[in-house]
Amino acid sequence: MAGPPAPLSGRDVGSFAYLTIKDRIPQILTKAIDTLHRHKSEFFEKHGEKGMEAEKKAISLLSKLRNELQTDKPIIPLVENFADTDIWNQYLEYQQSLLNESDGKPRWFYSPWLFVECYMYRRIHEAVIQSPPIDDFDVFKESKEQNFFESLESVIALCTHLQELMETIEDLDENQLKNEFFKLLQISLWGNKCDLSLSGGETISQKTNIINSLEDLKPLILVNDMEHLWSLLSSCKKTREKASVIRVDIVLDNSGFELVTDLILADFLLSSKLATDIHFYGKTIPWFVSDTTIHDFNWIIEQVKHSNHKWVSKCGVDWENYIKMGRWVYHDHIFWTLPHEFCAMSQIAPDLYAELQKAHLILFKGDLNYRKLTGDRKWEFTVPFHRALSGFHPAPLCSIRTLKAEVQVGLQPGQGEQLTASEPSWLTTGKYGVFQFDGPL
């Protein structure tokens, strides 16, 4: 069998990868520099002259990074000592080993897109940790919080929907429960549209009530394996012994509105007894503008709990209780902010792989997870999802993703070509979505 195809790369002029490196990434860096600049007086109030010096240092490191990228300089090793520095530098050596001598060093536009994009966010983090005493500053925090506040009406609608559902959940028959499960899965899917890295850090919020749009959005789901998820979890529920656990793991993507949709789905899974325990996975450092960190996770729950809307605050109180009871568990792990595709996890992070193996089902939210699941490669559209996973299968898993990168597998013959003919940018606008399942082996 032939090996996997080449990774997506900025060397393909005009491709989404090329445009991301050329336009979107410099825009994100400019916004990060601007954010540091705007907090200058806050740094001074907190830390005096040291804060001002640190702000200047972080800005100069980020300006240098932007210049390296825009002039396609060689990619340089990380220098600041951190938990993952050695693994990153080994990976850089590995990228070097793939090149011919005549190619020189790995460069921004000629290396795999997944690698350089992850490297850029890791370098932003390096610039901040090299600049104490502001070394815990999250340059993306404001935009994540703004996304939540701008989506408040939708948050209220969703929390109200969930709380009204809770009042009758015990009385629902199997079919009604399944319909509610499908509804909340789709809400979690379309919540994934709110991605700040796609817009170069400009805010994208959810201003309409998503529940009313689900029927209209259904034709935009290109692969729909929701039935598989239902049959897996409902059979776990039927066969479960009194004391046994049904564990669903959710590998999170964006904070803000999307995280609320994930928490609402997780709440429903417990209340419907389709699961007994939910494990969430977030990022250890600020990542891809809007990705969830432990701070974002706790912040969202606090905001929801302190809402002056009764159903919203009821959700927040319940969520805090799930955490206290140990039925919701949050994990982070450095692997999620490494450049490796997931098929390398069992070698690079065997502890994380072993943790995921304890799940009955793993839900991978969003586009970056999909890129890492499939290796971010130039697969044919019809290649089976299982094959593109290249041996990664800790447990039955499902990708819940709106399309924002030029990689998509598991389509019907002709489906991709038809979409390309009618909508050339169908792979990258977040308009289309998938539920792609890889079941029990």
Side-chain angles (χ1 to χ4, degrees), residues 389-402:
L389 292 171
S390 305
F392 178 74
H393 193 91
L397 61 90
C398 183
S399 166
I400 301 180
R401 162 232 190 187
T402 58

Side-chain angles (χ1 to χ4, degrees), residues 266-307:
D267 192 342
F268 171 80
L269 289 171
L270 293 189
S271 308
S272 61
K273 303 185 174 58
L274 286 168
T276 60
D277 296 63
I278 311 283
H279 288 241
F280 299 96
Y281 297 83
K283 308 295 194 295
T284 44
I285 61 174
W287 197 247
F288 276 65
V289 187
S290 40
D291 283 20
T292 304
T293 64
I294 184 65
H295 171 274
D296 302 321
F297 187 82
N298 291 334
W299 183 86
I300 290 275
I301 293 173
E302 277 297 298
Q303 291 298 318
V304 171
K305 189 179 95 173
H306 290 115
S307 165

Side-chain angles (χ1 to χ4, degrees), residues 204-329:
I204 305 183
S205 51
Q206 180 64 40
K207 292 194 169 75
T208 54
N209 182 354
I210 206 166
I211 304 166
N212 302 334
S213 324
L214 293 181
E215 276 311 307
D216 299 339
L217 293 168
K218 234 184 201 147
L220 305 177
I221 302 173
L222 302 178
V223 180
N224 189 346
D225 288 339
M226 289 195 295
E227 287 284 351
H228 291 295
L229 302 184
W230 169 256
S231 69
L232 177 81
L233 291 179
S234 59
S235 72
C236 284
K237 178 179 172 179
K238 283 177 193 139
T239 55
R240 148 176 128 85
E241 303 300 320
K242 270 280 175 278
S244 69
V245 161
I246 306 171
R247 172 169 155 178
V248 174
D249 286 16
I250 304 178
V251 182
L252 298 168
D253 189 23
N254 300 303
S255 183
F257 179 71
E258 180 175 1
L259 179 56
V260 174
T261 68
D262 298 336
L263 298 178
I264 281 181
L265 174 63
D267 192 342
F268 171 80
L269 289 171
L270 293 189
S271 308
S272 61
K273 303 185 174 58
L274 286 168
T276 60
D277 296 63
I278 311 283
H279 288 241
F280 299 96
Y281 297 83
K283 308 295 194 295
T284 44
I285 61 174
W287 197 247
F288 276 65
V289 187
S290 40
D291 283 20
T292 304
T293 64
I294 184 65
H295 171 274
D296 302 321
F297 187 82
N298 291 334
W299 183 86
I300 290 275
I301 293 173
E302 277 297 298
Q303 291 298 318
V304 171
K305 189 179 95 173
H306 290 115
S307 165
N308 52 17
H309 189 284
K310 68 172 181 175
W311 291 139
V312 179
S313 65
K314 170 83 169 70
C315 284
V317 170
D318 290 348
W319 298 348
E320 205 171 58
N321 282 333
Y322 292 146
I323 293 167
K324 281 182 186 146
M325 291 156 62
R327 297 185 68 196
W328 276 12
V329 181

